[in-house]
Amino acid sequence: MWRRRGGTFAALAAFFTVAIMFFGIGGASALAVPTAPTDVKGKTFAIATDTTFAPFEFRDGSGELVGIDMDLLRAIATEQGFQVDIKSLGFDAALQAVQSNQVAGVIAGMSITDERKKVFDFSEPYFDSGVQMAVAKDNEDIKTYKDLKGKTVVAKRGSEGETFANSIKDEYGFTVKALADSATMYDDVKAGNSVAVFDDYPVLAYGVSQNNGLKIVTAKEQGSSYGFAVNKGQNQDLLKAFDAGLANLKANGEYQKILDKYLAKSEVQEQGGFFQLVKDSFPALMKGLWLTMVATVLSLAIALVLGVVFGFFKVAESRILRGIATTYVAIFRGTPLLVQAFFFYFGLPQMTGQPLSVLAAGVITLSLNAGAYMTEIVRGGIQSVDAGQLEASRSLGLGYVTSMRRVVVPQAIKIMTPSFINQFVITLKDTSLLAVIGFAELTYQGQQIYATNFRTGETLLIVAALYFIVITALTQLSNLVDRKFNK
Protein backbone atom coordinates (compact mmCIF):
# COMPACT_ATOMS: atom_id res chain seq x y z
CA MET A 1 0.00 0.00 0.00
CA TRP A 2 1.30 3.42 -0.96
CA ARG A 3 1.05 5.14 2.36
CA ARG A 4 2.09 8.71 3.00
CA ARG A 5 5.23 10.16 4.41
CA GLY A 6 4.85 13.11 6.73
CA GLY A 7 7.27 16.03 6.59
CA THR A 8 9.46 17.30 9.40
CA PHE A 9 8.15 20.47 10.96
CA ALA A 10 10.47 23.25 12.05
CA ALA A 11 9.99 26.00 14.61
CA LEU A 12 12.11 28.73 16.15
CA ALA A 13 12.28 27.11 19.57
CA ALA A 14 16.01 26.67 20.16
CA PHE A 15 16.12 29.33 22.92
CA PHE A 16 14.54 27.04 25.49
CA THR A 17 15.70 23.58 24.45
CA VAL A 18 17.68 23.48 27.69
CA ALA A 19 14.39 22.39 29.25
CA ILE A 20 15.26 18.92 28.04
CA MET A 21 17.66 18.60 30.94
CA PHE A 22 14.72 18.38 33.32
CA PHE A 23 13.50 15.15 31.76
CA GLY A 24 16.42 13.19 30.37
CA ILE A 25 16.84 11.85 26.85
CA GLY A 26 15.71 8.85 25.62
CA GLY A 27 12.66 7.41 24.39
CA ALA A 28 7.50 -18.81 -0.06
CA SER A 29 9.60 -21.57 1.38
CA ALA A 30 13.31 -21.13 1.15
CA LEU A 31 15.47 -23.83 -0.33
CA ALA A 32 18.16 -23.15 2.23
CA VAL A 33 17.28 -21.94 5.71
CA PRO A 34 19.06 -18.60 6.33
CA THR A 35 21.14 -18.21 9.44
CA ALA A 36 20.67 -15.41 11.92
CA PRO A 37 23.27 -12.62 11.97
CA THR A 38 25.17 -13.05 15.21
CA ASP A 39 25.28 -9.28 15.80
CA VAL A 40 21.54 -9.08 16.59
CA LYS A 41 21.35 -11.90 19.12
CA GLY A 42 20.49 -10.67 22.60
CA LYS A 43 19.93 -7.09 21.47
CA THR A 44 16.77 -5.01 21.80
CA PHE A 45 15.60 -2.89 18.87
CA ALA A 46 13.02 -0.12 18.99
CA ILE A 47 10.59 -0.64 16.10
CA ALA A 48 7.97 1.92 15.07
CA THR A 49 4.53 1.07 13.76
CA ASP A 50 1.16 2.62 12.99
CA THR A 51 -1.49 3.13 15.66
CA THR A 52 -4.57 1.87 13.80
CA PHE A 53 -4.31 -0.28 10.67
CA ALA A 54 -6.31 -3.42 11.40
CA PRO A 55 -5.67 -6.26 10.78
CA PHE A 56 -1.95 -5.42 10.55
CA GLU A 57 -1.64 -3.40 13.76
CA PHE A 58 -4.34 -2.56 16.26
CA ARG A 59 -5.17 -3.02 19.92
CA ASP A 60 -7.36 -5.83 21.20
CA GLY A 61 -9.87 -5.58 24.03
CA SER A 62 -7.11 -5.75 26.65
CA GLY A 63 -5.15 -2.93 25.03
CA GLU A 64 -2.43 -5.24 23.68
CA LEU A 65 -0.96 -4.24 20.31
CA VAL A 66 -1.70 -7.14 17.96
CA GLY A 67 -2.14 -7.83 14.23
CA ILE A 68 -0.29 -9.45 11.34
CA ASP A 69 2.66 -7.08 11.52
CA MET A 70 2.96 -7.37 15.29
CA ASP A 71 2.68 -11.16 15.45
CA LEU A 72 5.08 -11.55 12.54
CA LEU A 73 7.65 -9.19 14.04
CA ARG A 74 7.53 -10.85 17.45
CA ALA A 75 7.78 -14.34 15.91
CA ILE A 76 10.79 -13.32 13.84
CA ALA A 77 12.45 -11.69 16.85
CA THR A 78 11.98 -14.86 18.91
CA GLU A 79 13.20 -17.06 16.07
CA GLN A 80 16.29 -14.91 15.49
CA GLY A 81 17.13 -14.31 19.14
CA PHE A 82 16.59 -10.57 19.57
CA GLN A 83 14.04 -8.40 21.40
CA VAL A 84 11.77 -5.66 20.08
CA ASP A 85 10.43 -2.55 21.80
CA ILE A 86 7.41 -1.58 19.70
CA LYS A 87 6.53 2.11 19.44
CA SER A 88 2.95 2.75 18.29
CA LEU A 89 3.29 6.21 16.75
CA GLY A 90 1.11 6.48 13.64
CA PHE A 91 2.39 5.98 10.10
CA ASP A 92 3.76 9.46 9.42
CA ALA A 93 5.33 9.69 12.86
CA ALA A 94 6.81 6.20 12.50
CA LEU A 95 8.67 7.17 9.33
CA GLN A 96 9.96 10.33 10.98
CA ALA A 97 11.10 8.32 14.00
CA VAL A 98 13.18 6.06 11.75
CA GLN A 99 14.69 8.98 9.85
CA SER A 100 15.58 10.75 13.12
CA ASN A 101 17.14 7.50 14.44
CA GLN A 102 14.75 7.30 17.39
CA VAL A 103 13.92 3.75 16.28
CA ALA A 104 15.84 1.13 14.30
CA GLY A 105 13.09 0.20 11.84
CA VAL A 106 9.43 0.42 10.90
CA ILE A 107 6.77 -2.18 10.11
CA ALA A 108 3.39 -0.64 9.33
CA GLY A 109 1.84 -2.04 6.17
CA MET A 110 4.41 -0.03 4.24
CA SER A 111 4.53 -0.51 0.47
CA ILE A 112 7.89 -1.11 -1.18
CA THR A 113 8.23 1.59 -3.84
CA ASP A 114 11.07 3.05 -5.90
CA GLU A 115 10.64 6.44 -4.20
CA ARG A 116 10.92 4.98 -0.72
CA LYS A 117 13.94 2.89 -1.71
CA LYS A 118 15.83 6.17 -2.05
CA VAL A 119 15.39 6.74 1.71
CA PHE A 120 14.92 3.28 3.22
CA ASP A 121 16.31 -0.24 2.79
CA PHE A 122 13.53 -2.84 2.64
CA SER A 123 13.26 -6.47 3.63
CA GLU A 124 11.92 -9.14 1.33
CA PRO A 125 8.13 -8.62 0.87
CA TYR A 126 6.07 -10.19 3.62
CA PHE A 127 2.58 -9.48 2.19
CA ASP A 128 1.10 -8.81 -1.28
CA SER A 129 -1.78 -6.36 -1.08
CA GLY A 130 -4.51 -5.08 -3.42
CA VAL A 131 -7.40 -2.62 -3.59
CA GLN A 132 -11.15 -3.17 -3.35
CA MET A 133 -14.22 -0.93 -3.27
CA ALA A 134 -16.91 -1.08 -0.59
CA VAL A 135 -20.23 0.72 -0.08
CA ALA A 136 -22.72 1.06 2.78
CA LYS A 137 -24.39 -2.22 3.67
CA ASP A 138 -27.84 -0.98 2.58
CA ASN A 139 -26.64 0.59 -0.70
CA GLU A 140 -28.06 -1.30 -3.68
CA ASP A 141 -27.26 1.35 -6.30
CA ILE A 142 -23.46 1.14 -6.43
CA LYS A 143 -22.22 -2.22 -7.70
CA THR A 144 -19.52 -1.37 -10.25
CA TYR A 145 -17.19 1.51 -11.09
CA LYS A 146 -19.67 2.65 -13.76
CA ASP A 147 -22.24 3.43 -11.05
CA LEU A 148 -19.89 6.07 -9.55
CA LYS A 149 -20.45 8.67 -12.29
CA GLY A 150 -21.08 12.08 -10.74
CA LYS A 151 -20.50 10.71 -7.21
CA THR A 152 -17.84 11.23 -4.54
CA VAL A 153 -15.71 8.39 -3.19
CA VAL A 154 -13.24 8.38 -0.31
CA ALA A 155 -9.77 6.89 0.07
CA LYS A 156 -6.95 7.04 2.61
CA ARG A 157 -4.68 10.00 2.01
CA GLY A 158 -1.45 8.97 0.28
CA SER A 159 -2.56 5.34 0.07
CA GLU A 160 -2.62 2.81 -2.73
CA GLY A 161 -6.40 3.05 -2.63
CA GLU A 162 -6.20 6.76 -3.35
CA THR A 163 -3.71 6.19 -6.16
CA PHE A 164 -5.95 3.58 -7.79
CA ALA A 165 -9.10 5.69 -7.38
CA ASN A 166 -7.38 8.68 -8.97
CA SER A 167 -6.19 6.51 -11.86
CA ILE A 168 -9.76 5.60 -12.89
CA LYS A 169 -11.74 8.67 -11.79
CA ASP A 170 -11.63 10.39 -15.20
CA GLU A 171 -12.69 7.21 -16.96
CA TYR A 172 -15.72 6.72 -14.70
CA GLY A 173 -16.45 10.36 -13.87
CA PHE A 174 -16.28 10.46 -10.07
CA THR A 175 -14.52 12.64 -7.49
CA VAL A 176 -12.00 11.38 -4.95
CA LYS A 177 -11.86 12.72 -1.37
CA ALA A 178 -8.92 11.81 0.86
CA LEU A 179 -9.16 11.21 4.62
CA ALA A 180 -6.63 10.17 7.24
CA ASP A 181 -7.66 6.70 8.45
CA SER A 182 -9.91 3.74 7.71
CA ALA A 183 -12.39 4.28 10.55
CA THR A 184 -13.02 7.87 9.45
CA MET A 185 -13.47 6.79 5.84
CA TYR A 186 -16.00 4.14 6.75
CA ASP A 187 -17.97 6.62 8.85
CA ASP A 188 -17.97 9.04 5.91
CA VAL A 189 -19.54 6.41 3.67
CA LYS A 190 -22.11 5.36 6.28
CA ALA A 191 -23.04 9.02 6.80
CA GLY A 192 -23.71 9.41 3.07
CA ASN A 193 -21.01 12.00 2.47
CA SER A 194 -19.32 9.56 0.06
CA VAL A 195 -20.91 6.66 -1.81
CA ALA A 196 -17.93 4.29 -1.73
CA VAL A 197 -14.48 3.72 -0.23
CA PHE A 198 -11.31 2.34 -1.82
CA ASP A 199 -9.01 0.58 0.62
CA ASP A 200 -6.61 -2.37 0.94
CA TYR A 201 -8.51 -5.63 0.61
CA PRO A 202 -7.39 -7.20 3.94
CA VAL A 203 -8.28 -3.98 5.81
CA LEU A 204 -11.72 -3.85 4.21
CA ALA A 205 -12.32 -7.56 4.78
CA TYR A 206 -11.38 -7.28 8.45
CA GLY A 207 -13.60 -4.23 8.89
CA VAL A 208 -16.57 -6.01 7.35
CA SER A 209 -15.99 -8.99 9.65
CA GLN A 210 -16.09 -6.56 12.59
CA ASN A 211 -19.48 -5.19 11.46
CA ASN A 212 -18.25 -1.82 10.20
CA GLY A 213 -21.47 -1.29 8.25
CA LEU A 214 -19.99 -1.79 4.77
CA LYS A 215 -20.00 -4.46 2.08
CA ILE A 216 -17.39 -5.18 -0.61
CA VAL A 217 -18.73 -4.92 -4.17
CA THR A 218 -15.69 -5.32 -6.47
CA ALA A 219 -12.96 -7.87 -7.04
CA LYS A 220 -9.43 -7.24 -5.80
CA GLU A 221 -7.23 -5.07 -7.99
CA GLN A 222 -3.56 -6.04 -8.04
CA GLY A 223 -1.52 -4.04 -5.54
CA SER A 224 2.02 -3.71 -4.22
CA SER A 225 3.96 -5.55 -1.52
CA TYR A 226 4.60 -4.63 2.12
CA GLY A 227 8.07 -4.65 3.63
CA PHE A 228 9.98 -4.01 6.86
CA ALA A 229 12.23 -0.93 6.49
CA VAL A 230 15.33 0.62 8.04
CA ASN A 231 17.25 3.79 7.23
CA LYS A 232 19.32 3.63 4.06
CA GLY A 233 22.62 1.94 4.84
CA GLN A 234 21.84 1.45 8.55
CA ASN A 235 20.85 -1.54 10.72
CA GLN A 236 21.69 -4.03 7.97
CA ASP A 237 22.10 -6.87 10.47
CA LEU A 238 18.56 -6.29 11.69
CA LEU A 239 17.30 -6.30 8.11
CA LYS A 240 19.11 -9.56 7.37
CA ALA A 241 17.71 -11.08 10.57
CA PHE A 242 14.18 -10.10 9.52
CA ASP A 243 14.65 -11.72 6.10
CA ALA A 244 16.11 -14.86 7.66
CA GLY A 245 13.31 -15.12 10.19
CA LEU A 246 10.63 -14.50 7.55
CA ALA A 247 12.02 -17.27 5.35
CA ASN A 248 12.08 -19.67 8.28
CA LEU A 249 8.51 -18.83 9.30
CA LYS A 250 7.33 -19.46 5.75
CA ALA A 251 9.21 -22.75 5.68
CA ASN A 252 7.74 -24.10 8.93
CA GLY A 253 4.16 -22.87 8.30
CA GLU A 254 4.04 -20.32 11.10
CA TYR A 255 3.74 -17.46 8.60
CA GLN A 256 0.53 -18.86 7.12
CA LYS A 257 -0.91 -19.46 10.58
CA ILE A 258 -0.42 -15.78 11.41
CA LEU A 259 -2.18 -14.69 8.21
CA ASP A 260 -5.06 -17.11 8.76
CA LYS A 261 -5.50 -15.89 12.33
CA TYR A 262 -6.59 -12.46 11.06
CA LEU A 263 -7.69 -13.00 7.47
CA ALA A 264 -9.57 -16.32 7.58
CA LYS A 265 -12.49 -14.79 9.53
CA SER A 266 -15.45 -14.30 7.23
CA GLU A 267 -18.41 -14.20 9.60
CA VAL A 268 -19.69 -10.84 10.81
CA GLN A 269 -19.07 -10.31 14.51
CA GLU A 270 -22.00 -9.26 16.70
CA GLN A 271 -21.49 -6.09 18.72
CA GLY A 272 -22.68 -5.54 22.28
CA GLY A 273 -24.67 -2.60 23.58
CA PHE A 274 -23.43 0.79 24.70
CA PHE A 275 -22.80 -0.23 28.31
CA GLN A 276 -20.86 -3.27 27.13
CA LEU A 277 -18.72 -0.89 25.09
CA VAL A 278 -18.14 1.22 28.20
CA LYS A 279 -17.14 -1.87 30.16
CA ASP A 280 -14.79 -3.16 27.46
CA SER A 281 -13.21 0.27 26.91
CA PHE A 282 -12.85 1.26 30.55
CA PRO A 283 -9.34 -0.19 31.26
CA ALA A 284 -7.76 1.42 28.19
CA LEU A 285 -9.52 4.74 28.75
CA MET A 286 -8.45 4.85 32.39
CA LYS A 287 -4.85 4.27 31.34
CA GLY A 288 -5.18 7.12 28.88
CA LEU A 289 -6.78 9.37 31.49
CA TRP A 290 -3.96 8.68 33.93
CA LEU A 291 -1.33 9.64 31.35
CA THR A 292 -3.36 12.75 30.52
CA MET A 293 -3.32 13.82 34.16
CA VAL A 294 0.41 13.05 34.56
CA ALA A 295 1.33 15.13 31.52
CA THR A 296 -0.99 17.95 32.63
CA VAL A 297 0.34 18.16 36.18
CA LEU A 298 3.99 18.02 35.14
CA SER A 299 3.46 20.58 32.39
CA LEU A 300 1.56 23.02 34.59
CA ALA A 301 4.12 22.81 37.40
CA ILE A 302 6.92 23.76 35.01
CA ALA A 303 4.73 26.28 33.15
CA LEU A 304 3.91 28.03 36.41
CA VAL A 305 7.60 28.48 37.20
CA LEU A 306 8.27 29.74 33.68
CA GLY A 307 5.27 32.05 33.83
CA VAL A 308 6.34 33.63 37.12
CA VAL A 309 9.97 34.07 36.05
CA PHE A 310 9.25 35.53 32.64
CA GLY A 311 6.25 37.43 33.93
CA PHE A 312 8.55 39.37 36.23
CA PHE A 313 11.01 39.74 33.36
CA LYS A 314 8.24 41.39 31.34
CA VAL A 315 7.75 44.10 33.96
CA ALA A 316 11.42 44.48 34.85
CA GLU A 317 13.30 47.71 34.31
CA SER A 318 16.03 45.91 32.33
CA ARG A 319 15.53 45.96 28.57
CA ILE A 320 17.48 42.72 28.26
CA LEU A 321 15.15 40.85 30.61
CA ARG A 322 12.08 42.30 28.90
CA GLY A 323 13.54 41.32 25.51
CA ILE A 324 14.18 37.73 26.62
CA ALA A 325 10.63 37.38 27.96
CA THR A 326 9.10 39.01 24.88
CA THR A 327 11.02 36.67 22.56
CA TYR A 328 9.95 33.61 24.53
CA VAL A 329 6.30 34.62 24.49
CA ALA A 330 6.40 35.53 20.80
CA ILE A 331 7.87 32.16 19.81
CA PHE A 332 5.53 29.91 21.75
CA ARG A 333 2.37 31.96 21.30
CA GLY A 334 3.18 32.60 17.64
CA THR A 335 3.59 28.96 16.52
CA PRO A 336 0.99 26.16 16.61
CA LEU A 337 1.22 23.60 19.39
CA LEU A 338 1.39 20.76 16.85
CA VAL A 339 4.40 22.34 15.17
CA GLN A 340 6.11 22.59 18.55
CA ALA A 341 5.32 18.93 19.35
CA PHE A 342 6.74 17.74 16.02
CA PHE A 343 9.81 19.93 16.49
CA PHE A 344 10.68 18.58 19.94
CA TYR A 345 9.92 14.93 19.09
CA PHE A 346 11.32 14.77 15.54
CA GLY A 347 13.18 17.95 14.60
CA LEU A 348 15.33 18.36 17.71
CA PRO A 349 16.60 14.73 17.72
CA GLN A 350 17.56 15.11 14.05
CA MET A 351 19.48 18.27 14.87
CA THR A 352 21.20 16.94 18.00
CA GLY A 353 21.41 13.22 17.21
CA GLN A 354 19.86 12.44 20.61
CA PRO A 355 16.40 10.79 20.84
CA LEU A 356 13.72 12.16 23.16
CA SER A 357 10.97 10.08 24.78
CA VAL A 358 7.40 10.84 23.83
CA LEU A 359 6.53 11.83 27.41
CA ALA A 360 9.48 14.20 27.66
CA ALA A 361 8.70 15.74 24.26
CA GLY A 362 5.04 16.12 25.21
CA VAL A 363 5.72 17.70 28.59
CA ILE A 364 8.33 20.08 27.17
CA THR A 365 5.89 21.14 24.46
CA LEU A 366 2.98 21.74 26.84
CA SER A 367 5.20 23.41 29.46
CA LEU A 368 6.78 25.92 27.12
CA ASN A 369 3.48 26.63 25.39
CA ALA A 370 1.46 27.08 28.59
CA GLY A 371 4.36 28.97 30.18
CA ALA A 372 4.15 31.61 27.46
CA TYR A 373 0.47 32.21 28.22
CA MET A 374 1.10 32.19 31.96
CA THR A 375 3.80 34.80 31.44
CA GLU A 376 1.18 37.14 30.05
CA ILE A 377 -1.18 36.26 32.89
CA VAL A 378 1.47 37.18 35.47
CA ARG A 379 2.40 40.36 33.60
CA GLY A 380 -1.23 41.40 33.35
CA GLY A 381 -1.90 40.61 37.00
CA ILE A 382 1.06 42.65 38.23
CA GLN A 383 0.28 45.60 35.99
CA SER A 384 -3.38 45.51 37.09
CA VAL A 385 -2.39 46.44 40.63
CA ASP A 386 -2.54 50.21 41.05
CA ALA A 387 0.93 51.69 40.64
CA GLY A 388 0.26 53.78 43.75
CA GLN A 389 0.46 50.62 45.86
CA LEU A 390 4.11 50.14 44.95
CA GLU A 391 4.88 53.82 45.35
CA ALA A 392 3.24 53.92 48.78
CA SER A 393 5.19 50.94 50.05
CA ARG A 394 8.43 52.38 48.72
CA SER A 395 7.67 55.68 50.47
CA LEU A 396 7.42 53.74 53.73
CA GLY A 397 11.00 52.60 53.30
CA LEU A 398 10.41 49.14 51.86
CA GLY A 399 12.75 47.98 49.07
CA TYR A 400 11.53 47.07 45.58
CA VAL A 401 11.69 43.30 46.12
CA THR A 402 9.99 43.52 49.52
CA SER A 403 7.30 45.82 48.14
CA MET A 404 6.55 43.43 45.32
CA ARG A 405 6.50 40.42 47.64
CA ARG A 406 4.45 41.93 50.43
CA VAL A 407 2.18 44.39 48.63
CA VAL A 408 1.88 43.93 44.86
CA VAL A 409 2.09 40.14 44.36
CA PRO A 410 -0.60 39.20 46.95
CA GLN A 411 -3.05 41.51 45.19
CA ALA A 412 -1.95 40.29 41.75
CA ILE A 413 -2.52 36.65 42.72
CA LYS A 414 -6.20 37.32 43.37
CA ILE A 415 -6.47 38.85 39.92
CA MET A 416 -4.52 36.06 38.20
CA THR A 417 -6.17 33.01 39.80
CA PRO A 418 -9.22 32.75 37.45
CA SER A 419 -6.91 32.97 34.44
CA PHE A 420 -4.62 30.30 35.89
CA ILE A 421 -7.61 27.98 36.35
CA ASN A 422 -8.64 28.61 32.75
CA GLN A 423 -5.11 27.83 31.53
CA PHE A 424 -5.17 24.61 33.55
CA VAL A 425 -8.27 23.49 31.67
CA ILE A 426 -6.80 24.49 28.31
CA THR A 427 -3.57 22.57 28.96
CA LEU A 428 -5.48 19.45 30.00
CA LYS A 429 -7.43 19.54 26.74
CA ASP A 430 -4.27 20.29 24.74
CA THR A 431 -2.83 16.93 25.77
CA SER A 432 -5.15 15.40 23.16
CA LEU A 433 -2.98 16.95 20.43
CA LEU A 434 -0.04 14.84 21.58
CA ALA A 435 -1.77 11.78 20.10
CA VAL A 436 -0.11 12.74 16.79
CA ILE A 437 3.32 11.82 18.20
CA GLY A 438 2.06 8.59 19.78
CA PHE A 439 1.49 9.76 23.35
CA ALA A 440 -1.06 7.27 24.70
CA GLU A 441 -3.36 9.76 26.46
CA LEU A 442 -7.17 9.68 26.56
CA THR A 443 -7.90 10.74 22.98
CA TYR A 444 -5.25 8.34 21.65
CA GLN A 445 -6.87 5.46 23.52
CA GLY A 446 -10.26 6.40 22.09
CA GLN A 447 -8.81 6.32 18.58
CA GLN A 448 -7.40 2.85 19.24
CA ILE A 449 -10.81 1.60 20.36
CA TYR A 450 -12.95 2.85 17.49
CA ALA A 451 -10.31 1.85 14.95
CA THR A 452 -11.03 -1.80 15.81
CA ASN A 453 -14.76 -1.78 16.68
CA PHE A 454 -15.75 0.99 14.20
CA ARG A 455 -18.17 2.50 16.77
CA THR A 456 -16.75 5.98 16.38
CA GLY A 457 -19.68 8.05 17.63
CA GLU A 458 -20.25 6.03 20.79
CA THR A 459 -16.54 5.85 21.62
CA LEU A 460 -16.03 9.58 21.18
CA LEU A 461 -19.09 10.21 23.35
CA ILE A 462 -17.48 8.21 26.16
CA VAL A 463 -14.17 10.05 25.74
CA ALA A 464 -15.91 13.43 25.73
CA ALA A 465 -17.85 12.48 28.88
CA LEU A 466 -14.63 11.57 30.69
CA TYR A 467 -13.04 14.89 29.72
CA PHE A 468 -16.15 16.74 30.86
CA ILE A 469 -16.30 14.95 34.23
CA VAL A 470 -12.61 15.46 35.00
CA ILE A 471 -12.48 19.08 33.86
CA THR A 472 -15.66 19.98 35.75
CA ALA A 473 -14.40 18.33 38.94
CA LEU A 474 -10.99 19.99 38.74
CA THR A 475 -12.52 23.36 37.95
CA GLN A 476 -14.79 23.14 40.98
CA LEU A 477 -11.83 22.13 43.15
CA SER A 478 -9.76 25.04 41.83
CA ASN A 479 -12.60 27.47 42.48
CA LEU A 480 -12.94 26.14 46.02
CA VAL A 481 -9.25 26.72 46.68
CA ASP A 482 -9.54 30.19 45.15
CA ARG A 483 -12.46 31.13 47.41
CA LYS A 484 -10.72 29.79 50.50
CA PHE A 485 -7.38 31.55 50.06
CA ASN A 486 -8.15 34.62 47.97
CA LYS A 487 -11.53 35.87 49.16
Side-chain angles (χ1 to χ4, degrees):
M1 172 183 172
W2 178 263
R3 304 184 69 200
R4 66 187 184 278
R5 286 190 298 171
T8 302
F9 293 89
L12 296 175
F15 181 77
F16 287 104
T17 53
V18 294
I20 298 170
M21 297 175 61
F22 288 99
F23 297 94
I25 294 176
S29 298
L31 295 177
V33 177
T35 58
T38 56
D39 287 347
V40 305
K41 289 185 178 295
K43 292 184 178 180
T44 299
F45 296 94
I47 306 298
T49 189
D50 204 345
T51 55
T52 55
F53 190 54
F56 291 91
E57 43 264 345
F58 63 98
R59 295 188 186 275
D60 60 16
S62 64
E64 178 72 16
L65 194 61
V66 297
I68 295 173
D69 286 352
M70 299 298 95
D71 289 8
L72 191 60
L73 178 63
R74 291 176 179 129
I76 289 174
T78 299
E79 205 271 342
Q80 295 291 297
F82 62 90
Q83 303 291 322
V84 290
D85 178 15
I86 299 174
K87 308 290 186 181
S88 178
L89 303 176
F91 187 73
D92 288 348
L95 298 192
Q96 292 298 326
V98 175
Q99 291 177 279
S100 61
N101 292 315
Q102 298 211 67
V103 297
V106 55
I107 182 169
M110 183 178 178
S111 292
I112 303 173
T113 67
D114 291 337
E115 182 183 356
R116 287 185 177 142
K117 286 180 179 179
K118 298 175 183 177
V119 181
F120 303 101
D121 286 330
F122 283 92
S123 68
E124 291 297 318
Y126 66 84
F127 188 84
D128 295 323
S129 187
V131 176
Q132 285 184 297
M133 183 178 79
V135 298
K137 188 183 297 185
D138 58 356
N139 188 330
E140 301 297 334
D141 299 325
I142 308 296
K143 298 179 180 179
T144 67
Y145 301 145
K146 294 180 180 179
D147 299 324
L148 297 175
K149 186 174 183 179
K151 310 291 186 181
T152 297
V153 304
V154 65
K156 188 176 298 182
R157 186 166 49 249
S159 71
E160 187 176 24
E162 183 188 23
T163 301
F164 176 75
N166 282 324
S167 71
I168 65 172
K169 68 178 182 179
D170 293 335
E171 179 182 355
Y172 294 102
F174 60 84
T175 302
V176 180
K177 176 171 62 176
L179 294 177
D181 58 72
S182 294
T184 304
M185 293 192 302
Y186 302 160
D187 287 335
D188 195 68
V189 173
K190 289 187 289 184
N193 299 321
S194 304
V195 298
V197 56
F198 287 84
D199 205 356
D200 281 24
Y201 86 88
V203 180
L204 272 179
Y206 183 85
V208 170
S209 74
Q210 298 299 309
N211 201 13
N212 67 352
L214 304 183
K215 62 181 179 181
I216 298 171
V217 294
T218 63
K220 181 180 73 171
E221 303 284 351
Q222 186 60 42
S224 59
S225 299
Y226 295 167
F228 172 77
V230 297
N231 262 342
K232 195 77 174 176
Q234 299 182 24
N235 292 300
Q236 296 301 300
D237 286 337
L238 175 61
L239 197 62
K240 291 177 183 178
F242 186 94
D243 284 338
L246 178 63
N248 291 341
L249 292 183
K250 288 183 176 181
N252 62 28
E254 185 65 23
Y255 171 82
Q256 191 59 47
K257 289 181 181 179
I258 292 174
L259 293 189
D260 291 343
K261 177 181 177 180
Y262 297 97
L263 301 181
K265 301 176 181 178
S266 59
E267 72 281 1
V268 175
Q269 303 293 314
E270 293 295 329
Q271 295 184 337
F274 177 78
F275 291 104
Q276 184 63 42
L277 174 62
V278 174
K279 179 181 177 181
D280 294 341
S281 305
F282 192 77
L285 293 178
M286 288 301 100
K287 177 183 177 181
L289 182 59
W290 166 251
L291 288 176
T292 295
M293 296 304 300
V294 168
T296 301
V297 171
L298 289 175
S299 300
L300 285 172
I302 299 170
L304 182 59
V305 174
L306 293 173
V308 170
V309 171
F310 290 107
F312 277 99
F313 280 10
K314 289 276 283 189
V315 298
E317 296 179 354
S318 171
R319 287 186 177 182
I320 296 177
L321 294 181
R322 292 202 307 270
I324 292 173
T326 299
T327 301
Y328 165 59
V329 172
I331 290 173
F332 289 98
R333 289 182 62 183
T335 55
L337 185 65
L338 281 179
V339 172
Q340 297 166 19
F342 274 101
F343 172 78
F344 284 114
Y345 193 58
F346 298 120
L348 193 61
Q350 287 183 343
M351 294 166 61
T352 64
Q354 296 293 329
L356 195 63
S357 72
V358 66
L359 176 60
V363 170
I364 290 171
T365 300
L366 292 175
S367 299
L368 295 175
N369 184 271
Y373 288 92
M374 286 189 174
T375 296
E376 289 301 297
I377 293 172
V378 172
R379 178 200 59 77
I382 293 173
Q383 292 182 340
S384 295
V385 177
D386 194 308
Q389 297 288 314
L390 178 61
E391 294 174 359
S393 63
R394 295 297 299 274
S395 67
L396 294 175
L398 297 178
Y400 177 80
V401 174
T402 303
S403 297
M404 291 292 292
R405 181 168 59 88
R406 294 286 185 89
V407 179
V408 177
V409 172
Q411 297 180 68
I413 289 176
K414 294 184 178 182
I415 299 171
M416 293 185 291
T417 301
S419 295
F420 278 139
I421 295 173
N422 185 57
Q423 185 60 47
F424 178 86
V425 172
I426 292 173
T427 301
L428 192 152
K429 291 189 292 185
D430 281 348
T431 59
S432 63
L433 298 176
L434 300 180
V436 299
I437 60 172
F439 184 59
E441 45 70 61
L442 184 55
T443 299
Y444 176 96
Q445 297 293 348
Q447 292 173 343
Q448 301 297 302
I449 293 167
Y450 69 67
T452 55
N453 62 24
F454 302 100
R455 300 172 70 174
T456 308
E458 294 169 284
T459 303
L460 290 177
L461 181 62
I462 297 171
V463 171
L466 287 174
Y467 273 117
F468 178 79
I469 292 171
V470 171
I471 290 173
T472 300
L474 292 177
T475 300
Q476 293 299 321
L477 178 61
S478 299
N479 289 334
L480 178 63
V481 173
D482 179 30
R483 288 193 298 269
K484 182 175 182 180
F485 291 99
N486 293 330
K487 305 299 180 184

